[in-house]
Amino acid sequence: MWKRLAFLSSFRLASSTSLGDLYKASYSLKFYQLFSTESRDLEDDCHASKIKLPWITFVLGGPGTGKGTQCQRISQTFGFTHLSAGDLLRKEMSSNSKDGKMISALIKEGNIVPSEMTVRLLQEAIKSSQSCKFLIDGFPRCNENRVAFEKIIGVEPLFVLFLDCPEDIMVARVLGRNEGRLDDNLDTVKKRLEVFSNLNLPVINYYYEKGKVQRISALGTVDEVFEKIRPLFSSFSRFQKKEEQKLSN
Ligand code: UDP
Ligand code: MG
């Protein structure tokens, strides 16, 4: 089980950071602070890594930019656990509970589900996982989501992968994907695009100001986009190994 850790590092990625230098010295592990009062050895929590905290990357972008597809590729290649906020909500929705009905109504309108619900689902998924490295796909959707995540989970993302794509391509991809989703229709897509620019972009801007955004053009084939993403995570893997070596010395 994973315990609550606060990530107080003054982690900085310059927006223009060259890929190879992504994780250079600006990252400092010494500021990790354990908030848990549990006495159990941290070793139990994150046995895959000697670094006892979850590494979190948010993967953001409008509908149809390929967040889910690219997250699958990243997790297969780099061993991250992929948590799609939308998939967790859809799973909850199919439970037919009172919450399920509310979620379904909000998704159908392209609106954002209350933060406490999404953060609870993410928290449960993180806690029940043995993994240390999470890609959180499609979340935070608004600044209120972000604040709730920081407050409840207590961890900041390492960086934010922003898949950027022109609107007409997003619409064409969503309408062409045919996965039987109740929000993959033209009316809802238009609303989702509005919500994206009004509420989601401010979150991306927030992280951009903090130097944490890595923007990748989502144009091209799945392979082409993944090849643009790959160096970010290769660089992270090298960084992670070094930090683990330091800790085991
Ligand atoms: N959603 C939400 N909060 C989240 C993630 C998703 O409320 O953190 C809802 C919202 O209604 C959104 C829908 O779920 O429009 C679908 O989100 P998903 O990320 O699955 O869509 P994608 O962007 O991948 O097409
Ligand atoms: Mg998705």
Side-chain angles (χ1 to χ4, degrees):
M1 193 178 80
W2 174 78
K3 280 189 216 147
R4 190 159 166 226
L5 297 159
F7 184 21
L8 303 176
S9 159
S10 56
F11 184 90
R12 287 281 183 278
L13 296 177
S15 315
S16 58
T17 318
S18 74
L19 298 177
D21 291 344
L22 196 59
Y23 295 99
K24 264 196 177 155
S26 51
Y27 184 96
S28 168
L29 279 170
K30 63 177 184 267
F31 294 108
Y32 293 157
Q33 190 176 12
L34 177 64
F35 268 60
S36 170
T37 51
E38 292 170 56
S39 58
R40 213 156 51 79
D41 191 339
L42 277 173
E43 207 71 42
D44 297 343
D45 292 317
C46 231
H47 54 72
S49 168
K50 291 211 163 62
I51 294 172
K52 312 299 189 295
L53 84 167
W55 306 96
I56 292 202
T57 298
F58 291 142
V59 182
L60 299 177
T65 47
K67 300 183 293 292
T69 308
Q70 293 299 334
C71 281
Q72 274 177 16
R73 296 290 294 270
I74 299 163
S75 52
Q76 279 160 9
T77 312
F78 295 101
F80 276 72
T81 296
H82 173 203
L83 299 179
S84 157
D87 286 352
L88 290 170
L89 288 168
R90 278 184 286 277
K91 201 166 149 215
E92 189 74 4
M93 183 174 97
S94 60
S95 71
N96 252 339
S97 63
K98 202 170 109 249
D99 283 350
K101 291 203 181 79
M102 191 251 279
I103 294 170
S104 151
L106 289 166
I107 288 185
K108 188 142 190 270
E109 288 304 310
N111 287 325
I112 298 173
V113 172
S115 300
E116 73 222 40
M117 196 165 292
T118 316
V119 175
R120 176 178 57 79
L121 294 172
L122 287 168
Q123 188 181 30
E124 284 167 8
I126 292 171
K127 273 187 176 175
S128 63
S129 169
Q130 294 291 326
S131 177
C132 285
K133 302 190 284 189
F134 297 92
L135 294 172
I136 300 193
D137 157 7
F139 178 95
R141 222 77 181 181
C142 57
N143 270 320
E144 199 222 327
N145 272 179
R146 175 184 62 73
V147 171
F149 185 89
E150 280 167 11
K151 197 168 149 207
I152 296 168
I153 312 286
V155 180
E156 277 217 20
L158 284 164
F159 67 95
V160 175
L161 173 60
F162 169 36
L163 294 177
D164 198 8
C165 187
E167 284 200 357
D168 54 337
I169 307 283
M170 291 194 234
V171 174
R173 285 182 183 173
V174 168
L175 298 182
R177 70 184 169 191
N178 207 9
E179 288 171 0
R181 273 174 53 171
L182 83 166
D183 55 347
D184 281 355
N185 58 74
L186 190 56
D187 279 351
T188 315
V189 173
K190 283 187 190 155
K191 289 180 190 152
R192 285 158 70 193
L193 285 171
E194 259 175 57
V195 169
F196 174 71
S197 71
N198 293 336
L199 298 172
N200 204 180
L201 276 181
V203 177
I204 295 168
N205 278 333
Y206 170 87
Y207 286 118
Y208 182 81
E209 305 268 298
K210 296 186 107 190
K212 286 194 172 191
V213 172
Q214 292 295 325
R215 179 192 162 277
I216 295 285
S217 163
L219 290 175
T221 64
V222 171
D223 284 345
E224 283 164 355
V225 176
F226 182 64
E227 287 313 315
K228 290 184 265 179
I229 292 173
R230 185 195 291 276
L232 296 173
F233 287 89
S234 299
S235 171
F236 165 73
S237 295
R238 285 195 296 275
F239 168 77
Q240 187 193 6
K241 269 196 200 111
K242 270 192 211 151
E243 290 305 320
E244 287 181 356
Q245 267 163 13
K246 269 193 230 161
L247 286 181
S248 60
N249 286 338

